Amino acid sequence: MHILLTGGAGFIGSNFVHLLLKLRPTYRITNLDVLTYSGNLENLRGLEKDPRYTFVKGDITDEKTVMPLIESCDAIVHMAAESHVDRSILDSRPFVMTNVIGTQTLLDAARRAQSKNGGGAWMKNNRFVYVSTDEVYGSLPLENPELKFKETTPLETNSPYSASKAGGDLLARAYHHTFHMDVVTTRCSNNFGPFQFPEKVIPLFVTNLIEGKQVPLYGDGKNVRDWIHVDDHCEGVLTALEKGKAGEVYNFGGNNERSNLELTHEILRLMGKGHDSIKPVADRPGHDRRYAIDCTKALRELNWKPTRSAWPQALADTINWYKNNEAWWRSVKSGAYRDYYTKQYGGR
Ligand code: NAD
Ligand code: TYD
C-alpha cells in the first residue's frame, strides 16, 4: 500500500507518519506539504533515508503537483489544512484557499486520475480519506451534558475555520454521492501530544509555564473540549482507511471532556505552578461552548477505541515531551509564531 498523505509535516500528519511506519512496516508514504508556519520537517527528522518515506514540497491547491502524486499512490489521506480557529478570525482567506479549494483540487484530481499499470480510473479501486473535525457540528450547551455529537448531527459551523473544514467535508460527501468516489470522512475532537504547534492551548500553556510566563485563559474558562491523544486519532484514521465503509463518516473522541479551567488546573498541578500563573483574558469571538463526541459507531464498526488518552498520565507524558524537547518549540516560538502573537496580543 502506497499512501499519499497531505499535511504530513504538521502536528497530526507527522505523528501519523511515525505511527504508520511502525504499525505497517510494508506500507509506503508520500508526504505532500507546502510547509506553512505549522509545517516543520524537524517533526520527521531521521526519516530522510527511509526508503518507505518520500517528502514532496508542494501546495494542494496546485493541480499539476497533485495529479502525478495521486496517480502513483493507492490511497489518499488528506490532512493538510489551516488549522487554528484564532488565526481564522484574523484572516479567513488562507482557510478557504487550503481547506475548501485545496480539498476540491484533490478530490477533482482523484476523480480524473488514472491508475498506474493501466488499471483505468484511479477512483475505481482507491480510497480518499478526508480528515475533518468535530468543530463542523458547532457547539453544545453546557446545561445538557448528556448531548454529544453523532455522525448524524447537522453541521452548524461557527468559526471561519470550522466553516472552511465543513466546506471540504461537504465536498467530500458530494464527490462520493455524485461520482461514486470511495470517500471516508473522519471527525475528531481536540488532539494533544508531541509536535503540536504552540498556538494551540496545551503546548502554548506548557511552554509558557516552562518560560516562566502566565497562561492566557479565554473568558470564564468554562468552555469544554474532549481531549484525545494524537496517536488514538491517527489509529482511527488508519482504521477508517482500512476498514471504513465508502461514503461513511466516523467520529473519534477521547471520552475525556474537561473545561478549560480544569485543563489549566491540571497542567498547573503537574508542573508545580500556582493559580497566579493564570492570566484571564478577553474571550475569543464566537467561542464554541462545548464539544463532546459520541464515538460508538467507530467502536462498533471499526473496532476502534481510544487507548492512550486517559489523564493524568497522557497529559503528564505530553508535558514531559515539551520539557525534553525545548529546542524544538523554542525555534518554533521564535519564528512566524512571534509575528502572529505580536499581531494578536501585542506579544504576550
Ligand atoms: P497543523 O497546522 O499542525 O498542520 C497542517 C499541515 O498542513 C502543515 O504541515 C502545513 O504546512 C500543511 N499545509 C497547510 N496548507 C497547505 C497547502 N495548501 N498545501 C499543502 N500543505 C499544506 O494541523 P494539525 O493540527 O496537524 O491538523 C491536521 C488535520 O487534522 C487538519 O485537517 C485539521 O483540520 C484536522 N484536525 C485537527 C484537530 C486538532 O486537534 N489539531 C482535531 C480534529 C481534526
Ligand atoms: P485551541 O487549542 O485553540 O483549539 P480549538 O479552538 O480548536 O478547540 O483551544 C482549545 C480551548 O482553549 C478553546 O476553548 C479556547 C481555549 N484557549 C484559551 O483559553 N487560551 C488560549 O490561549 C488558547 C489558544 C485557547
Side-chain angles (χ1 to χ4, degrees), residues 6-13 32-40 58-61 78-83 98 131-134 161 165 188-191 195-197 199-200 233:
T6 69
F11 162 49
I12 299 171
L32 171 64
D33 196 303
V34 78
L35 301 179
T36 65
Y37 75 96
S38 70
N40 188 348
D59 196 317
I60 57 163
T61 62
H78 172 33
M79 290 193 187
E82 288 294 336
S83 66
T98 290
V131 178
S132 191
T133 165
D134 65 346
Y161 163 68
K165 287 297 293 184
C188 187
S189 62
N190 287 63
N191 286 218
F195 298 120
Q196 188 167 29
F197 197 87
E199 63 185 354
K200 308 282 168 35
H233 180 195

Side-chain angles (χ1 to χ4, degrees), residues 65-83:
T65 300
V66 304
M67 185 59 106
L69 295 174
I70 292 173
E71 293 195 323
S72 66
C73 76
D74 309 307
I76 300 170
V77 175
H78 172 33
M79 290 193 187
E82 288 294 336
S83 66

Side-chain angles (χ1 to χ4, degrees), residues 87 90-91 337-347:
R87 284 179 189 259
L90 287 180
D91 181 9
Y337 170 95
R338 200 175 44 205
D339 303 340
Y340 164 68
Y341 269 84
T342 307
K343 195 166 162 192
Q344 191 175 21
Y345 299 119

Side-chain angles (χ1 to χ4, degrees), residues 285-343:
H287 197 173
D288 282 340
R289 206 52 165 155
R290 173 171 169 255
Y291 301 146
I293 279 273
D294 177 339
C295 48
T296 48
K297 179 176 174 185
L299 185 65
R300 194 176 60 243
E301 295 185 16
L302 304 177
N303 197 23
W304 172 92
K305 61 173 184 291
T307 57
R308 303 173 180 86
S309 299
W311 285 9
Q313 194 55 48
L315 184 60
D317 290 346
T318 297
I319 291 171
N320 281 334
W321 188 88
Y322 289 92
K323 282 186 178 163
N324 294 331
N325 289 276
E326 268 198 53
W328 180 87
W329 59 261
R330 281 194 188 277
S331 103
V332 164
K333 264 191 154 181
S334 66
Y337 170 95
R338 200 175 44 205
D339 303 340
Y340 164 68
Y341 269 84
T342 307
K343 195 166 162 192

Side-chain angles (χ1 to χ4, degrees), residues 84-85 135 190 199-201 204 216 218 225 260 284 287:
H84 196 208
V85 174
E135 299 193 27
N190 287 63
E199 63 185 354
K200 308 282 168 35
V201 72
L204 175 70
Y218 294 168
R225 298 293 183 263
N260 291 336
R284 167 189 284 170
H287 197 173

